[in-house]
Amino acid sequence: MRSGTGAKAELFFEDLVPGRWFDLGAITVDGTEMVAFAERYDPQWYHVDAALAAESEYGGLIASGFYTVSLFMRAYVDHVLARAAADASPGLEELRWLAAVRAGDRLVVRLEVLDQRPSTAKPHLGTVTLQGVMLRDEREVLRLRFRGWFRRRGAAPAVAGA
């Protein structure tokens, strides 16, 4: 059984029980990367124009929310999906940007398992509801709730056409 990155899986549906927490480490926001992301994917002035942003209520450049989510995703892949028998995700349920993120910010990333239930349609899978947070100085800057499909330990996938 392979993990989300192709390595041997060690975390399965049964291991992702409600109340379990994962420390996904800390990330320091790289200003050059933050602006390059915004220039390519979210070129709004408060993400890319330092002079305009400095004169605004923001007092300087702020990260694109989608850049911040991508930082969360990288931490999730590195610390959970790289070890988990993960399948696809059926989607996000909540995404909140709660405070501006800036170059140099140190963001602590955490993940909590909220719920799990076996799939009735695909008995080799289970659905896990997860909540991720990113914090700067103990203040949430990002919160998201999403679901993931994870393989059940020892369950063989259904064979198509059988």
Side-chain angles (χ1 to χ4, degrees), residues 1-146:
M1 188 69 55
R2 296 279 170 211
S3 74
T5 59
K8 185 175 179 179
E10 59 186 62
L11 279 173
F12 292 84
F13 169 77
E14 293 82 1
D15 302 313
L16 301 171
V17 296
R20 183 168 183 182
W21 278 89
F22 293 89
D23 176 355
L24 305 186
I27 299 163
T28 299
V29 178
D30 179 293
T32 302
E33 180 183 78
M34 179 185 92
V35 172
F37 179 96
E39 287 172 341
R40 178 147 188 209
Y41 299 108
D42 192 0
Q44 298 179 77
W45 63 268
Y46 40 82
H47 299 321
V48 298
D49 189 320
L52 283 177
E55 295 172 1
S56 75
E57 64 188 84
Y58 304 113
L61 291 175
I62 60 173
S64 164
F66 291 101
Y67 172 73
T68 307
V69 171
S70 71
L71 294 176
F72 172 86
M73 187 67 198
R74 181 58 195 240
Y76 176 49
V77 169
D78 288 350
H79 295 277
V80 176
L81 294 182
R83 308 185 298 132
D87 206 279
S89 171
L92 279 169
E93 296 174 1
E94 177 186 26
L95 174 58
R96 300 271 186 240
W97 293 292
L98 301 165
V101 170
R102 301 173 186 281
D105 281 355
R106 183 178 183 275
L107 306 175
V108 173
V109 189
R110 297 182 184 146
L111 181 75
E112 180 183 8
V113 178
L114 298 178
D115 189 37
Q116 68 164 193
R117 58 186 162 74
S119 172
T120 53
K122 298 181 179 183
H124 65 288
L125 294 177
T127 301
V128 178
T129 303
L130 303 154
Q131 180 169 283
V133 295
M134 296 181 91
L135 304 111
R136 179 187 55 239
D137 299 325
E138 297 302 315
R139 179 178 178 199
E140 284 187 11
V141 299
L142 173 76
R143 182 179 342 119
L144 64 159
R145 188 176 60 250
F146 58 101

